[in-house]
Amino acid sequence: MISNKIKDRIVGNINIPSDKSISHRSIIIPSISMGISEINNLLMSDDVMHTLNALKNLGVNIEKSNNKIIIYGKGLNSLKKPNKNIYLGNSGTSARLLTGLLASQTFETILEGDKSLSSRPMARIMDPLKLMGAEFENVSGTLPLKIIGKKLNKSKIEINIPSAQIKSGLILAALNTEGVSHIIEKHITRDHTENMLKSFGAEIDIKKINNQTSIYVKGKKELKSVNINVPSDLSSSAFFIVAALINKGSKISLNNININPTRDGLLKALKKMGAKISIKNKRTVSEEIVADLEVEYSNLVGCELDAEMAKFMIDEYPILSIAAAFAKGTSIFRGLKELKVKESDRLELIRLNLVNCGCDCKIKNDDLIIKPSEVYITKNNKIRTDFDHRIAMSFAVMGSKVGNLNIEDGESINTSFPNFIEKFNNAGGNIL
Ligand code: S3P
């Protein structure tokens, strides 16, 4: 796709799609509860459909009815051996969460993914699960992965990598394991799994001491079924927020956005850069905090963010880097090691593509340094995405300022944000 300069400005009330992380969990958790759950506003993107089809292949009855998904859960140990390998496309969240879920179901499953997912690390979830007695047939540490499901043992497990996917996989394994498992998180990560499980009646106890979190999960306690309303995704709204901030005269409003405090780093970072963002009508829906946002064009200034911030906004660095490219002064974002193992090596692709656009951008150790240019003259208009949806959308926003960016593999956007192009163009964007 080609992203051209916008004709005027970004305006309007933009309806942002539902949260991807919460949508995955809104399929998995009801599927192992006891009873019928209705899910409103599930994100119908490729990644989430992979989780939904996986649970169907595991014998769960899931029906679509208008804007709702009805899930007929039959309990913690009710999944059935699938009659084929489970294909998860590009979805890291599906891969890590389902590995945890299936490790304790007493049958064998093989998980597969696309080229990008098949190169992403799986040892980070297999290794801690092995401490619970889980068994796998896999030498590469990547997909395809054969899970030899069996009864697991309650354990005390420390997670040293900042990853909600690892934590959630372990919690799902612990739910179907006799006794109380103790999961220790060394870094704060998104807590949607814990929030949802509380509303499903799980015995999950969370104790925070300094920056370390102890999660105690009592296994073999059946979950009740609950209806869920999935809020809109802050990570998806980020592309519109930054597009409005950097294009003169822009003003947008975004309703019902999930601003879970483990995920709101982008808003804090942008405010530090001088962004005019108002957060209104804060409220709690289905154990998650949501609010309405108003954003207008702002004169941004560069900022320095320490490594701690990365845990609260890991998915937002590609689009934050675009904001930094149009700010006054240098930005330095520190401690971005985890960006290298996302849907692509995001750290390198941000650098490469910003440099192609004429920006002075460097990586030093795991830090990203962005020195904006007064005027952008693209060296090469090709934007390499390695089929990474967030790189594609971020550079579509860059294109709204510099024009004529040829974004490769634009269809990757369907991973998290179907209709992005249509919505962006309706709000004033110019993507062909
Ligand atoms: C996610 C956790 C994060 C994030 C991903 C979604 C989740 O990954 O980058 O987009 O839904 O749990 P990590 O757990 O690898 O940090």
Side-chain angles (χ1 to χ4, degrees):
M1 68 194 197
I2 307 289
S3 179
N4 289 315
K5 281 189 191 176
I6 63 162
K7 291 181 184 130
D8 188 5
R9 61 215 163 109
I10 302 289
V11 285
N13 184 323
I14 296 140
N15 190 2
I16 298 294
S18 297
D19 190 276
K20 182 159 78 71
S21 291
I22 298 176
S23 291
H24 284 294
R25 289 150 174 88
S26 297
I27 298 164
I28 297 172
I29 293 174
S31 290
I32 50 165
S33 74
M34 277 288 193
I36 303 170
S37 300
E38 260 183 33
I39 319 301
N40 291 295
N41 302 325
L42 188 86
L43 174 65
M44 299 291 183
S45 76
D46 287 356
D47 269 18
V48 177
M49 288 309 109
H50 286 303
T51 292
L52 188 135
N53 288 331
L55 268 306
K56 276 186 172 175
N57 286 330
L58 289 160
V60 182
N61 183 5
I62 303 180
E63 287 171 4
K64 279 188 198 168
S65 130
N66 303 323
N67 208 13
K68 282 185 187 138
I69 299 287
I70 322 273
I71 303 182
Y72 298 82
K74 292 216 173 109
L76 291 170
N77 207 26
S78 65
L79 302 180
K80 301 273 177 301
K81 183 176 167 56
N83 52 19
K84 54 180 181 194
N85 295 355
I86 292 184
Y87 179 71
L88 301 173
N90 195 249
S91 181
T93 306
S94 314
R96 276 62 175 263
L97 269 59
L98 293 182
T99 300
L101 180 79
L102 294 169
S104 73
Q105 301 282 328
T106 46
F107 51 79
E108 290 181 6
T109 324
I110 296 178
L111 301 182
E112 298 174 336
D114 71 3
K115 191 170 157 223
S116 149
L117 184 57
S118 302
S119 69
R120 295 180 66 188
M122 289 299 289
R124 53 176 53 202
I125 178 70
M126 288 193 282
D127 289 347
L129 283 168
K130 282 179 194 164
L131 300 176
M132 297 177 75
E135 223 184 291
F136 304 99
E137 223 174 82
N138 177 276
V139 280
S140 60
T142 54
L143 297 188
L145 167 64
K146 186 178 200 177
I147 303 165
I148 302 166
K150 57 195 274 223
K151 203 165 160 264
L152 303 181
N153 309 313
K154 67 170 178 150
S155 302
K156 180 175 174 184
I157 302 170
E158 266 185 27
I159 314 173
N160 294 306
I161 303 171
S163 166
Q165 293 176 354
I166 300 176
K167 169 179 64 178
S168 303
L170 292 174
I171 294 176
L172 291 170
L175 284 172
N176 196 30
T177 299
E178 206 73 60
V180 177
S181 293
H182 180 187
I183 298 159
I184 301 165
E185 231 199 341
K186 296 279 190 181
H187 306 273
I188 293 174
T189 65
R190 64 193 69 192
D191 60 0
H192 305 303
T193 305
E194 299 91 303
N195 290 344
M196 196 177 286
L197 281 173
K198 280 182 204 156
S199 67
F200 275 70
E203 272 187 41
I204 179 164
D205 212 16
I206 299 165
K207 291 197 170 69
K208 284 202 166 82
I209 302 167
N210 300 325
N211 267 348
Q212 181 167 303
T213 311
S214 271
I215 305 163
Y216 300 90
V217 183
K218 178 148 193 252
K220 292 289 178 193
K221 180 178 183 273
E222 292 295 349
L223 307 174
K224 61 179 184 187
S225 60
V226 174
N227 296 341
I228 300 171
N229 288 305
V230 185
S232 293
D233 198 326
L234 180 59
S235 300
S236 296
S237 69
F239 305 106
F240 283 88
I241 293 174
V242 171
L245 289 172
I246 64 175
N247 282 292
K248 259 203 180 109
S250 298
K251 192 169 180 175
I252 56 167
S253 52
L254 309 161
N255 293 341
N256 200 33
I257 307 294
N258 180 236
I259 55 159
N260 180 314
T262 60
R263 286 272 298 277
D264 68 352
L266 176 79
L267 298 176
K268 292 188 174 128
L270 287 172
K271 283 196 173 175
K272 200 171 167 189
M273 294 173 79
K276 291 182 198 155
I277 301 176
S278 352
I279 301 173
K280 300 188 165 160
N281 304 325
K282 253 194 190 184
R283 56 209 182 264
T284 302
V285 180
S286 295
E287 301 281 332
E288 291 284 343
I289 301 172
V290 297
D292 304 327
L293 308 182
E294 280 177 12
V295 184
E296 56 186 293
Y297 169 75
S298 308
N299 289 312
L300 298 179
V301 289
C303 78
E304 287 195 28
L305 299 180
D306 60 22
E308 195 53 30
M309 269 307 267
K311 296 161 198 164
F312 298 93
M313 54 175 295
I314 193 65
D315 289 342
E316 279 64 77
Y317 283 96
I319 189 63
L320 184 73
S321 302
I322 307 302
F326 294 97
K328 193 165 183 286
T330 302
S331 289
I332 306 177
F333 306 145
R334 299 188 200 281
L336 302 185
K337 189 169 159 217
E338 276 296 301
L339 275 194
K340 297 179 187 173
V341 290
K342 293 295 173 187
E343 285 84 331
S344 67
D345 178 348
R346 284 186 178 155
L347 193 56
E348 171 54 14
L349 286 192
I350 293 170
R351 188 203 64 77
L352 178 90
N353 290 318
L354 276 181
V355 167
N356 272 347
C357 290
C359 179
D360 179 358
C361 178
K362 291 193 172 65
I363 299 167
K364 203 171 162 202
N365 302 320
D366 295 327
D367 304 342
L368 189 65
I369 303 159
I370 299 171
K371 289 187 187 153
S373 298
E374 292 271 307
V375 183
Y376 282 102
I377 301 164
T378 48
K379 295 180 182 162
N380 173 349
N381 78 338
K382 261 207 184 108
I383 299 296
R384 193 178 125 194
T385 68
D386 291 355
F387 208 81
D388 184 327
H389 55 134
R390 297 201 200 281
I391 295 288
M393 287 185 276
S394 298
F395 281 87
V397 172
M398 180 88 187
S400 73
K401 288 285 282 185
V402 304
N404 192 32
L405 292 186
N406 182 356
I407 297 159
E408 294 179 333
D409 300 322
E411 65 278 15
S412 66
I413 289 173
N414 292 330
T415 296
S416 64
F417 200 151
N419 305 331
F420 169 78
I421 298 175
E422 195 188 323
K423 285 197 172 156
F424 196 62
N425 287 347
N426 283 343
N430 189 6
I431 301 175
L432 303 175

